[in-house]
Amino acid sequence: MSIAHQLAVREQKGCSLIAGPSHSEPYKLGDDARKPLSDTKLDLVYSPDGSLLAVIGSDAVKVYDTKTGSVSASISVANCAIASFSPRSTFLLTWERLTDELQASGGNLRVWEAATGKFLSGFSQKNFSKDAWPYIKWSSDEMVAAMRIADGLHLYSGNDLGKGVIGKVSHEKITSFSMSPGAAPYKLATFAPEKGDKPGSVKLFAYP
């Protein structure tokens, strides 16, 4: 079985997919080894399994099928700053600067169905920190999702965040967290930095 290599690059004129060498034959997207994707060069991110590529443009986030180079979904997010896929590439998470309009319509941190661009759920997240991104993290089987709050984590059904909070992890003043790979019980680690004379702390939790 031939194995194709592929590069997604930000160039002077925007973003492109570039086909790399194959073990048996050249890997091509259509009739050319280079496929322009966007005339902007804001950001782009592959899904964990490599099947999808999200390209952030000036007026939309476009999700490409990396095997064909065709657009599988176009998501109208005019000011998207960053995007991230869930572990199984099912969901796409986007963040944009919070406005009154977004606040009223469901929030600026939004979850989409990656393959179709269907809107699934939204939250309001005013401040952005790249160190804390992604703000929502899924378990490796996507059955549980977690989002940081001021005093810990809110846990959600990974396949339907719109159902609301199903659990909570308490840890005051946390700035970051992670979820280990593997099935239930899911392991979570939270971190709160030092403040004054109070040392920083790391806590480990299992859910459920």
Side-chain angles (χ1 to χ4, degrees), residues 188-204:
L188 302 104
T190 58
F191 170 72
E194 65 179 10
K195 185 175 183 180
D197 295 332
K198 188 175 181 180
S201 63
V202 173
K203 292 185 178 182
L204 300 176

Side-chain angles (χ1 to χ4, degrees), residues 62-125:
K62 291 186 178 180
V63 180
Y64 291 84
D65 181 324
T66 58
K67 290 183 179 180
T68 64
S70 62
V71 177
S72 62
S74 182
I75 303 170
S76 297
V77 185
N79 298 296
C80 182
I82 195 167
S84 178
F85 285 95
S86 62
R88 290 189 170 184
S89 311
T90 308
F91 308 106
L92 182 70
L93 181 68
T94 63
W95 182 90
E96 55 199 298
R97 192 174 300 278
L98 185 63
T99 63
D100 291 340
E101 182 180 356
L102 286 172
Q103 179 76 54
S105 62
N108 61 322
L109 179 67
R110 294 190 274 183
V111 180
W112 313 84
E113 189 173 69
T116 66
K118 179 184 177 182
F119 173 73
L120 299 175
S121 191
F123 304 87
S124 293
Q125 180 70 44

Side-chain angles (χ1 to χ4, degrees), residues 47-62:
S47 63
D49 64 3
S51 65
L52 300 173
L53 176 72
V55 178
I56 299 175
S58 56
D59 58 355
V61 176
K62 291 186 178 180

